[in-house]
Amino acid sequence: MLRQVDYSNYIEFPDAYYVNLEWGDDIHKADFLFARNMPDVDLIIGFGGVAGKLFARKTNYKIPVLLEGITDPVGSGIVYSVSDSGRDFMTCRVDQTQYQRQVVLFHDLTGFKKLGIVYGDDEYGRLYGAVNDVELTALKLGFDIVRNTHVKESMSRDTVSLYLAALKDVCARSDAVYIGASTALTEYDIMPQVRKILEDAKIPSFALEGDIRVKEGVMLGVSSLETEKIGLYNADKIAAIFYGEVPRLLSQDFVGVPSIAMNIDMAEKIGYEYSLSTLATMDQLYGEKLK
């Protein structure tokens, strides 16, 4: 659910209804959403696969639900198909080639032959790391995947240490690395350590989560311009729902035109040679020298 302390001119986001499921560890935090006395809200926004699966198990629900930020909503069974959520109360953005396009772009820019990925080898780890998309793209483009799955997608004493060790391992065996979403990155402040590993490895990196990670040191990622397009797409759907449209009848198919962000400092520290024509293809640039 969306958290916002302030109010927009039209919509209130009550802080009391914000739920952080912490990657499924505390799934019962959301029980109140399914109690007899349901929340007094007009819409629920669910982010990520854990939230998506909570609502996908329901055949009926009294409150409209908009799902966002799910890596593979069809493949994970959260929605029935690209065009049909399968439930009247629910709608989701489905972009089946979103992460494949990211990997293709990364390959076009750097020409890697071995791509490193770190993920937990379970349903959620593969989902949040877009592993299926990486595997499909590897088959199409002919590069090798270097994996390390010795990580935890739960919050524990060794979540961070395991992730950093796994990242260091794949960086040593790859010529590029794709940084997927993970508990270690989203729940802990470890980007300074991640940046150091990437600098020492001197290989290009691409962040699934986009410019939030590029600002912190990953070399490439999707820029906020693409995020804004997704936001406007969802805003239109929310307005339609408030005007009485059935969520299931709203279009779910969305194919965004990739907008790329680049961290100049990281590119120079790893010795990545970029041309003016390469810079011209970037929608956003970050780095100390640009300030």
Side-chain angles (χ1 to χ4, degrees), residues 158-230:
D158 54 355
T159 297
V160 167
S161 60
L162 287 173
Y163 180 86
L164 293 175
L167 180 62
K168 190 172 182 179
D169 169 62
V170 298
C171 284
R173 297 186 287 123
S174 312
D175 52 17
V177 61
Y178 185 62
I179 308 289
S182 72
T183 301
L185 288 174
T186 59
E187 302 296 337
Y188 299 91
D189 183 21
I190 65 167
M191 281 307 296
Q193 296 99 302
V194 168
R195 180 177 183 134
K196 181 66 166 56
I197 291 172
L198 298 176
E199 288 177 0
D200 291 346
K202 298 193 180 302
I203 60 174
S205 51
F206 193 106
L208 176 152
E209 293 180 287
D211 71 335
I212 184 176
R213 301 301 175 204
V214 177
K215 290 177 184 177
E216 296 172 323
V218 177
M219 192 179 90
L220 294 165
V222 175
S223 79
S224 61
L225 296 178
E226 181 156 328
T227 306
E228 290 171 9
K229 296 170 193 171
I230 293 170

Side-chain angles (χ1 to χ4, degrees), residues 121-138:
D121 197 14
D122 55 27
E123 180 185 11
Y124 288 116
R126 289 182 62 88
L127 182 63
Y128 292 124
V131 178
N132 289 346
D133 293 286
V134 174
E135 291 173 341
L136 284 170
T137 310

Side-chain angles (χ1 to χ4, degrees), residues 21-76:
L21 297 180
E22 296 178 358
W23 300 77
D25 279 351
D26 295 322
I27 203 76
H28 294 296
K29 287 182 178 179
D31 285 352
F32 75 96
L33 296 173
F34 307 100
R36 179 172 296 180
N37 296 321
M38 299 177 69
D40 182 21
V41 296
D42 300 298
L43 175 76
I44 291 175
I45 303 175
F47 288 99
V50 176
K53 283 187 173 292
L54 275 179
F55 292 100
R57 68 188 184 186
K58 308 294 290 186
T59 55
N60 294 293
Y61 194 68
K62 293 182 179 179
I63 303 171
V65 176
L66 182 144
L67 299 177
E68 177 52 64
I70 300 173
T71 307
D72 185 3
V74 177
S76 62

Side-chain angles (χ1 to χ4, degrees), residues 246-260:
V246 176
R248 186 176 185 174
L249 299 181
L250 298 174
S251 173
Q252 296 191 138
D253 193 8
F254 179 91
V255 179
V257 178
S259 303
I260 305 299

